[in-house]
Amino acid sequence: MAKQNVAEQFVDILTRAGVKRLYGVVGDSLNPVVDAIRRNAAIDWIQVRHEEVAAFAAGAEAQLTGKLAACAGSCGPGNLHLINGLYDAHRSMAPVLALASHIPSSEIGLGYFQETHPDQLFRECSHYSELISSPRQMPRVLQTAIQHAIGRGGVSVLALPGDIASEQAPDKAIDHALVTSLPSVRPGDSEIDKLVDLIDRAKRVTLFCGSGTAGAHAEVMEFAERVKSPVGHALRGKEWIQYDNPYDVGMSGLLGYGAAYEATHECDLLILLGTDFPYNAFLPDDVKIVQVDVRPEHLGRRSKLDLAVWGDVKETLRCLIPRVQAKSDRRFLDKMLKKHADALEGVVKAYTRKVEKHVPIHPEYVASVLDELADDDAVFTVDTGMCNVWAARYISPNGRRRIIGSFSHGSMANALPQAIGAQFIDRNRQVISMSGDGGFSMLMGDFLTLIQYELPVKIVLFNNSSLGMVELEMLVAGLPSYGTANRNPDFAAIARAAGAYGVRVEKPKQLAGALKDAFKHKGPALVDIVTDPNALSIPPKISAEMVSGFALSASKIVLDGGVGRMLQMARSNLRNVPRP
C-alpha cells in the first residue's frame, strides 16, 4: 500500500468525520490538499470565487445538517478572506473546520511573501486555532480541532504550511475515534427543584424562545399548556417555535411584531429558553427571569437572572412537565393572545391597500407572495438588513421550512453564499435567497458559482437601490440619509448574460407569474424586483429618543408593514379563547 502524505491523511480524517465538501479557492500552499481531494472519491472540492463565500457556504451547510462542514483558503490573503464567514459561523454555533494553508514552515516569522499568522488571526472567531508544524502532530491536532467544532458548536481553524502538507505521514499514524454527535445535557436536581418552585408560585408565566428550542417544539407546547403561558420568540427561534403554536404572541426585538414585548413585561416570571437574545433593552428589569441554556457562558450575560439553568431545552422541559402544578387560570394568556391579534390587525392594511397599483412595489407584498408560492420545505437564506424584516414578518414556518441568515453576526452579503451551501446538500430541495441589492452586489461574483455547478438556487432580489436598514438607522438618529443610495444595473440582464435565468419585475401584477416561472426553471434563476425605497420598518416599541430622531429627519415616510399569514394564525388562536 502506497504511503500517504500529510495532505492525504488530513483529507481522510475529514471524510471520517463526515465532511462531504471542502469549499475554497485554490492556491499554491493549498495545492497538496486540493490534489488529495481530487484523488479521494468521498469528498468534493467546491470552487468558489471568493473565500468569504466558502466560509458562509460551509456555515450554512453546518447549520442545516448539524454536522461538521469545512472550508479552506491559501496562505496569507487567501485564508484571510475567510474571516467574516467564520465569524458568522462561530456566532451561529455552526460546527465548521477551516483550513488556513500557510507559507513554507522555514519562512514563518521572517516577513516572507504573503506572510500572516492565521493561528493568531482567527482566535477570536474560533474555539480552537493552531499551527501544524510537524507531520507527527497533524492527526492529533486535527482530531482536537474537530472535537472543538462539534462539541462546543463553532469554528476550529488549522494553519498548515504547504511544505508540511506535502511531507510523508508517519508510518504508524494513530487511527483516532471521532465523536461526531452531541449528548443531551440535563440540569442538576437542585436547579430543577428551584425552577419548579418558581413556576408554581408564579401567576403569570411567559416563555421566550430562541434557536435552542430546535427539536423541542412538542415539549414547549406541552409545557405552555400546562402553565398557561404565552410563547414569544427571537428571530432565530422563529422557525422552531412559531408553527402549530396556539400560544404564539410574536417576536420581540428590533424586527419584532405582535404582543411578545407586552408578554415579557407584564408577566411575573419570564423563562428564556435557548436564547442568547442580544437586545437587553427589550427585556424587562422588574420581573423574575429564569434562563435555560446548554451554553453556560450565555447564562446571565443579557439580564439579571433569578435562576440560571444549565441544560438543553428539551431535557429541561422533560424534567419540568411532570413536576410543575398545572395552572387553570388562563386570563393572562388570553389577554396576550388578544393583544397579539389586535396588534397584527392594526398593521396588516399597510401592505394590502391598493397594493396592485403601487409602483414601485411594496417589499411587504413581495414577501407575502413569496411565502405563498414557495415550497413547504423550502430553505430561505436571508440577507441582513430589510430582508431580515420581511422574512421575520412574512415567511411562515411549518416545521419543514428552514430560515437562516447572519442573525447573530449581522453581516451583509450572506444570503447568496449561504444558499450555495444549502443547495449542495440537496439539489432537489428548493433554496431561495432573499437578497437585497446591496448584499447581492457585494458578493455577486459568486453568482457564477451557481452557474458553474448548475445549482438551482432562486434569488429573489429586493432591489430598492438603497441600503435600507442603514437609512432607517440614520432616520432614527435624526440624520439625513447619506451614502445609502445605489446606482444599480438591470440585475436580470446580468444574470442572462452569465447564462442563467433572469427576469425583471417592475409592476405588482407581474410578480406572481415571474416567481412561478423562476421556480419552475431547473437551473439558477434571478428575479430582480424593483421595490419601494420608502418602505421602511420600525420596532414594535419606540423610545422617545427614536421619535425625536424621526422628527428631526427630512424623510417622514415609514411603513410599519404587514405580517402576512401570521395574522391568520393569530385570528385562529384567538377563536380558541373561552368566551365568558
Side-chain angles (χ1 to χ4, degrees):
M1 182 177 178
K3 293 182 178 179
Q4 286 187 315
N5 64 22
V6 171
E8 292 167 332
Q9 188 182 58
F10 186 96
V11 171
D12 277 352
I13 295 173
L14 282 187
T15 61
R16 287 201 296 112
V19 174
K20 303 294 185 185
R21 284 161 286 276
L22 193 63
Y23 301 88
V25 178
V26 296
D28 53 359
S29 59
L30 194 56
N31 288 345
V33 174
V34 175
D35 187 63
I37 292 172
R38 178 183 65 83
R39 292 178 282 107
N40 190 320
I43 188 170
D44 292 322
W45 173 259
I46 305 301
Q47 176 186 346
V48 297
R49 304 304 175 102
H50 194 297
E51 289 91 349
E52 181 177 348
V53 171
F56 269 121
E61 180 178 325
Q63 288 183 68
L64 290 168
T65 64
K67 298 178 180 179
L68 185 69
C71 58
S74 59
C75 63
N79 63 58
L80 190 60
H81 283 155
L82 295 169
I83 196 164
N84 193 46
L86 292 183
Y87 260 99
D88 182 79
H90 194 57
R91 299 191 69 183
S92 300
M93 296 181 286
V96 171
L97 187 287
L99 171 60
S101 67
H102 207 353
I103 63 172
S105 58
S106 61
E107 303 298 329
I108 294 173
L110 299 175
Y112 191 73
F113 176 64
Q114 294 189 324
E115 181 174 10
T116 59
H117 293 86
D119 53 314
Q120 300 175 36
L121 281 167
F122 294 103
R123 281 180 182 167
E124 189 176 336
C125 63
S126 66
H127 292 305
Y128 185 83
S129 183
E130 292 293 343
L131 169 68
I132 296 173
S133 55
S134 163
R136 292 184 299 277
Q137 176 195 14
M138 195 283 292
R140 288 181 296 157
V141 171
L142 178 54
Q143 179 197 26
T144 302
I146 291 170
Q147 307 301 56
H148 273 78
I150 294 172
R152 298 186 63 184
V155 170
S156 286
V157 181
L158 291 183
L160 177 63
D163 60 311
I164 300 293
S166 297
E167 288 188 22
Q168 183 176 310
D171 289 337
K172 297 182 179 179
I174 301 172
D175 191 16
H176 291 280
L178 294 170
V179 174
T180 57
S181 60
L182 294 174
S184 297
V185 179
R186 180 195 182 280
D189 290 338
S190 62
E191 281 70 32
I192 293 294
D193 291 341
K194 293 174 185 176
L195 182 50
V196 168
D197 182 60
L198 282 171
I199 294 168
D200 285 347
R201 286 192 285 115
K203 293 183 178 179
R204 301 181 305 278
V205 179
T206 292
L207 306 181
F208 187 70
C209 302
S211 60
T213 57
H217 183 276
E219 288 77 10
V220 173
M221 295 303 108
E222 184 177 356
F223 183 71
E225 169 57 31
R226 191 163 183 83
V227 299
K228 303 300 183 285
S229 169
V231 178
H233 59 268
L235 178 55
R236 291 190 67 200
K238 173 184 172 74
E239 62 177 329
W240 304 114
I241 217 68
Q242 188 189 34
Y243 70 95
D244 294 340
N245 182 355
Y247 318 99
D248 177 57
V249 291
M251 189 172 85
S252 191
L254 292 171
L255 310 185
Y257 53 82
Y261 182 92
E262 288 84 354
T264 57
H265 283 72
E266 296 181 24
C267 62
D268 52 29
L269 177 62
L270 173 62
I271 304 178
L272 307 175
L273 293 176
T275 178
D276 192 34
F277 183 68
Y279 303 109
N280 54 9
F282 288 87
L283 294 174
D285 55 13
D286 56 352
V287 304
K288 290 184 177 179
I289 301 179
V290 173
Q291 185 178 359
V292 179
D293 207 293
V294 75
R295 298 278 288 265
E297 66 270 25
H298 289 178
L299 295 170
R301 71 178 184 177
R302 307 301 184 198
S303 57
K304 181 179 178 297
L305 300 180
D306 293 271
L307 181 63
V309 179
W310 182 8
D312 65 56
V313 172
K314 191 183 187 83
E315 290 301 317
T316 301
L317 293 181
R318 283 179 171 177
C319 294
L320 286 177
I321 289 169
R323 292 194 53 188
V324 296
Q325 296 175 10
K327 299 184 187 297
S328 58
D329 185 351
R330 53 177 290 148
R331 285 177 293 178
F332 176 62
L333 170 59
D334 294 343
K335 177 184 175 183
M336 291 301 112
L337 290 175
K338 188 175 188 309
K339 279 193 173 185
H340 180 58
D342 290 347
L344 301 194
E345 291 279 5
V347 299
V348 72
K349 62 180 181 293
Y351 81 98
T352 57
R353 185 175 61 250
K354 298 180 180 179
V355 69
E356 293 183 354
K357 297 180 180 179
H358 189 94
V359 177
I361 303 169
H362 276 312
E364 301 98 325
Y365 177 64
V366 176
S368 180
V369 174
L370 175 61
D371 180 51
E372 293 285 348
L373 296 180
D375 289 351
D376 287 342
D377 65 345
V379 176
F380 296 87
T381 61
V382 183
D383 258 343
T384 296
M386 297 310 297
C387 285
N388 268 197
V389 179
W390 314 138
R393 296 187 175 184
Y394 292 91
I395 301 304
S396 304
N398 57 13
R400 298 173 62 201
R401 286 177 167 180
R402 293 299 310 272
I403 306 169
I404 63 173
S406 187
F407 298 144
S408 296
H409 185 48
S411 173
M412 282 182 64
N414 61 285
L416 170 61
Q418 289 178 328
I420 291 172
Q423 195 71 84
F424 266 113
I425 299 170
D426 184 353
R427 287 176 175 268
N428 294 317
R429 188 175 186 180
Q430 187 180 67
V431 175
I432 298 171
S433 172
M434 294 178 65
S435 297
D437 57 284
F440 178 73
S441 58
M442 183 178 282
L443 287 175
M444 67 185 291
D446 268 277
F447 184 72
L448 301 177
T449 300
L450 302 183
I451 297 165
Q452 179 162 334
Y453 288 97
E454 299 181 345
L455 294 174
V457 170
K458 312 307 177 190
I459 297 174
V460 179
L461 186 61
F462 289 72
N463 182 2
N464 63 1
S465 297
S466 72
L467 302 177
M469 185 61 79
V470 179
E471 192 165 300
L472 175 61
E473 293 164 354
M474 290 179 171
L475 296 179
V476 169
L479 302 172
S481 59
Y482 183 75
T484 59
N486 293 329
R487 182 177 176 179
N488 286 331
D490 182 335
F491 288 108
I494 291 177
R496 293 192 297 271
Y501 180 94
V503 61
R504 186 172 173 91
V505 177
E506 297 180 349
K507 296 180 180 180
K509 291 183 178 180
Q510 301 169 338
L511 178 62
L515 289 175
K516 288 177 182 177
D517 290 343
F519 292 167
K520 290 178 183 176
H521 183 70
K522 293 183 178 181
L526 184 147
V527 183
D528 181 7
I529 305 168
V530 180
T531 60
D532 189 350
N534 291 319
L536 303 175
S537 176
I538 55 178
K541 287 292 177 181
I542 304 298
S543 67
E545 292 80 9
M546 289 180 178
V547 172
S548 65
F550 278 110
L552 290 171
S553 172
S555 177
K556 305 274 180 69
I557 305 174
V558 179
L559 300 178
D560 189 13
V563 285
R565 286 192 279 181
M566 286 182 288
L567 177 60
Q568 300 171 19
M569 185 171 69
R571 287 170 174 167
S572 175
N573 289 344
L574 196 60
R575 285 195 292 271
N576 296 325
V577 173
R579 304 300 179 190

